Amino acid sequence: MKLISLTLISIAIASLTSCGGSEQSVEVSTSTAVRWTVPSKGFSCYANKTAQETNTTATSDVDEAYFSISKLNITSADSSRDTVISLVNVIYTPPNGSEIVCDFGAEELAALSSDWWGNPNKEARITAGTSGFSTDCPIRCGGISINIKSFTASGVIKVYGYTVDPDDEDDQQGFSTTTYFTYGSQY
């Protein structure tokens, strides 16, 4: 009985490890240019694309004093697998402020790419055979105090997801990867 229990525990650990993630399976990067703060409210890709689909006017949904990250570049080490992005966190702490996290998941994430938005499931999936991919709509995050005149600071972008064998949806390998960016103000 103990041998069966140890075998089951070993199988469970092996299963958890295979879904645990690898920093090297998928990499994300962005331009090294400083993202300068815009002293107004903004529109997310999701707000713009939803308004376009419903033939309405977009509503400003990005807090005042925002910056834009024009694109995320995603590279997979194994182009024989689909890459599915589940969540993107943009994390930054303005001077004299608290940490701010912009989360992009589900349709907000899909809106960052015309390919993803056009997918019937609005899934952030990069198909096998594609080793490099770039989003085509900017990430916008706001909430920076416009009372701070001139500064630059660093932020973190964390991307979570999994790769999957296109012929076997049960063959999934989780990943998380991180990159950094610089933002600031010139007021």
Side-chain angles (χ1 to χ4, degrees):
M1 187 61 150
K2 285 184 180 181
L3 181 57
I4 292 173
S5 296
L6 287 175
T7 303
L8 291 174
I9 291 171
S10 296
I11 291 170
I13 290 172
S15 175
L16 289 172
T17 304
S18 70
C19 295
S22 169
E23 286 290 328
Q24 288 135 354
S25 66
V26 175
E27 292 182 4
V28 66
S29 64
T30 188
S31 162
T32 58
V34 176
R35 280 75 177 177
W36 298 112
T37 304
V38 177
S40 64
K41 290 187 173 190
F43 298 88
S44 70
C45 297
Y46 178 74
N48 287 328
K49 289 182 177 176
T50 301
Q52 187 177 25
E53 278 189 352
T54 59
N55 201 25
T56 60
T57 302
T59 303
S60 175
D61 61 345
V62 177
D63 290 337
E64 187 170 1
Y66 69 89
F67 58 85
S68 294
I69 297 171
S70 60
K71 65 175 74 178
L72 291 180
N73 304 307
I74 303 162
T75 307
S76 177
D78 185 354
S79 63
S80 69
R81 300 174 65 83
D82 287 357
T83 301
V84 179
I85 310 298
S86 304
L87 179 67
V88 173
N89 297 129
V90 179
I91 305 163
Y92 54 103
T93 305
N96 303 323
S98 300
E99 180 178 272
I100 299 173
V101 180
C102 288
D103 292 322
F104 296 87
E107 290 187 347
E108 290 84 6
L109 176 59
L112 299 177
S113 164
S114 296
D115 288 344
W116 297 343
W117 188 257
N119 178 312
N121 297 324
K122 294 200 181 340
E123 181 179 47
R125 182 180 286 250
I126 303 164
T127 57
T130 307
S131 59
F133 181 87
S134 295
T135 57
D136 56 22
C137 195
I139 290 174
R140 291 190 173 105
C141 296
I144 299 168
S145 172
I146 56 176
N147 295 326
I148 301 168
K149 298 296 179 199
S150 182
F151 75 91
T152 57
S154 296
V156 178
I157 301 171
K158 294 184 178 183
V159 177
Y160 302 92
Y162 59 93
T163 63
V164 61
D165 182 335
D167 299 322
D168 181 4
E169 284 289 320
D170 291 330
D171 180 4
Q172 298 181 0
Q173 297 173 353
F175 70 85
S176 67
T177 186
T178 301
T179 193
Y180 301 90
F181 67 96
T182 304
Y183 66 101
S185 172
Q186 293 180 320
Y187 304 122

